[in-house]
Amino acid sequence: MPLKLMYITNDERVAKVAESSGVDWIFVDLEILGKEKRQGHLDTVISRHSMDDVKRLASVLTHSKLLVRLNPLHNGSRQEIDCAIADGADILMLPYFSSVLEVREFIRLVDARVQTCLLLETPTAVEELDSILAEGGIDYLHVGLNDLHLGYGKTFMFELLIDGTIERICDRIRAVGIPFGFGGIARLGHGAVPAEYILGEHYRLGSQMAILSRSFCDSTVTESLEEIREQFSRGVAEIRSYESFLQKQDQSFFQENQRELARRVCEVVRQTLAANRRAERGS
């Protein structure tokens, strides 16, 4: 089954382009609480979307689902959840939780009005994963590599793919039958580690979801809507074609993919650490 592809945007024009190109879920990102402190030093996007964006995008989408990432549980969570549902969200995502109690409260507040997706991105939540998975009302689960690799003290987020961490998590989720995914992917041939090696791991591990990363299409710096349309049309088609190829491969292919992925991840880590040492000597 093809991966469900997600794309983060609050621009209704870009959302319609992504939808027409075959993106399954359009992703509005309301999360801001604590994120600057956790990820401000990384080359990651802090979206600063608003609840108004939920209503605007819900009004233009016709078949892609609208996923809304909320803030971590806080005093205003009930109002945030109620507003997102009223404004047209199809799926609500809970980020940066640490305990089964937080998951339970999130499920209670949503009250089966829309689908739910947990964003697993803290080591503490991984420790409680079996208890979390035993809770009812979880429709999807996505593993967030940015915060999770920081939590484990790693240099590069894809280290979690080669040290067994993601495989152990995926095995546990797959055992209970909840659809899951992890991380993001660039266009084929692009990314610090080319996307085809990451896609190979998605298929080996039974993943069903992936976010199209900023390096797939950074619509905030590409002014031409036609250029964005071309990037989406070609990029999604290339991913779907490669998925068809992956579906026909045997175990030996995925073992070799793992080895090459590990080699490339280790090279990125080596280069990053060397750059950090040079920066420290220069400061």
Side-chain angles (χ1 to χ4, degrees):
M1 179 182 297
L3 294 173
K4 290 187 185 299
L5 299 178
M6 300 174 257
Y7 186 72
I8 299 174
T9 185
N10 67 338
D11 186 322
E12 56 264 53
R13 300 173 310 147
V14 175
K16 286 294 292 179
V17 167
E19 179 181 57
S20 66
S21 300
V23 173
D24 302 281
W25 294 355
I26 303 301
F27 190 143
V28 170
D29 185 9
L30 301 181
E31 185 188 6
I32 193 65
L33 297 180
K35 198 164 187 178
E36 185 85 48
K37 182 177 180 180
R38 300 195 313 268
Q39 296 187 14
H41 65 293
L42 298 178
D43 183 24
T44 56
V45 176
I46 298 176
S47 299
R48 307 189 191 282
H49 295 176
S50 71
M51 194 65 74
D52 288 342
D53 297 325
V54 177
K55 183 177 291 187
R56 285 192 301 104
L57 266 64
S59 70
V60 301
L61 296 176
T62 57
H63 55 270
S64 293
K65 288 189 175 182
L66 181 59
L67 168 70
V68 177
R69 174 159 62 190
L70 306 166
N71 281 293
L73 279 182
H74 63 291
N75 290 339
S77 287
R78 177 186 292 276
Q79 181 180 7
E80 192 173 69
I81 288 169
D82 288 347
C83 287
I85 293 172
D87 286 346
D90 298 302
I91 308 163
L92 295 183
M93 174 183 276
L94 176 68
Y96 212 71
F97 59 90
S98 297
S99 71
V100 68
L101 294 179
E102 291 168 86
V103 171
R104 189 174 297 156
E105 177 65 3
F106 170 64
I107 298 300
R108 186 187 72 81
L109 291 173
V110 175
D111 195 26
R113 289 175 289 171
V114 295
Q115 291 187 307
T116 60
C117 181
L118 302 183
L119 184 59
L120 182 72
E121 52 185 348
T122 68
T124 309
V126 174
E127 291 175 11
E128 289 203 35
L129 184 56
D130 291 334
S131 297
I132 289 167
L133 294 173
E135 292 290 312
I138 303 169
D139 295 297
Y140 305 99
L141 195 149
H142 195 79
V143 184
L145 301 186
N146 270 328
D147 274 312
L148 194 59
H149 95 276
L150 295 175
Y152 282 122
K154 300 294 185 180
T155 300
F156 180 42
M157 62 181 176
F158 289 135
E159 283 184 88
L160 299 178
L161 284 177
I162 68 171
D163 68 3
T165 301
I166 297 303
E167 182 155 9
R168 289 189 293 271
I169 290 171
C170 291
D171 287 346
R172 293 159 74 184
I173 303 170
R174 196 170 54 247
V176 300
I178 294 174
F180 69 91
F182 58 83
I185 52 174
R187 290 183 61 179
L188 295 192
H190 295 75
V193 174
E196 48 266 41
Y197 298 106
I198 309 301
L199 279 168
E201 278 295 273
H202 277 275
Y203 269 73
R204 186 180 72 83
L205 297 172
S207 167
Q208 295 165 265
M209 301 151 49
I211 297 170
L212 298 175
S213 68
R214 178 176 43 161
S215 54
F216 177 89
C217 177
D218 190 349
S219 60
T220 63
V221 299
T222 304
E223 294 184 1
S224 166
L225 194 61
E226 284 308 309
E227 185 176 343
I228 292 172
R229 193 184 312 278
E230 168 64 18
Q231 289 180 12
F232 268 101
S233 177
R234 180 180 299 177
V236 172
E238 289 172 348
I239 288 172
R240 295 310 189 197
S241 177
Y242 195 67
E243 287 186 272
S244 297
F245 166 78
L246 289 171
Q247 290 169 2
K248 301 170 186 174
Q249 302 312 302
D250 59 16
Q251 185 177 3
S252 64
F253 171 87
F254 292 103
Q255 290 172 341
E256 178 56 33
N257 188 81
Q258 271 185 288
R259 286 190 287 269
E260 183 61 18
L261 173 67
R263 186 188 72 78
R264 289 173 179 261
V265 169
C266 288
E267 179 60 20
V268 172
V269 172
R270 186 192 66 78
Q271 292 176 358
T272 302
L273 292 175
N276 291 343
R277 287 192 294 269
R278 289 194 298 271
E280 288 171 2
R281 288 197 298 268
S283 62

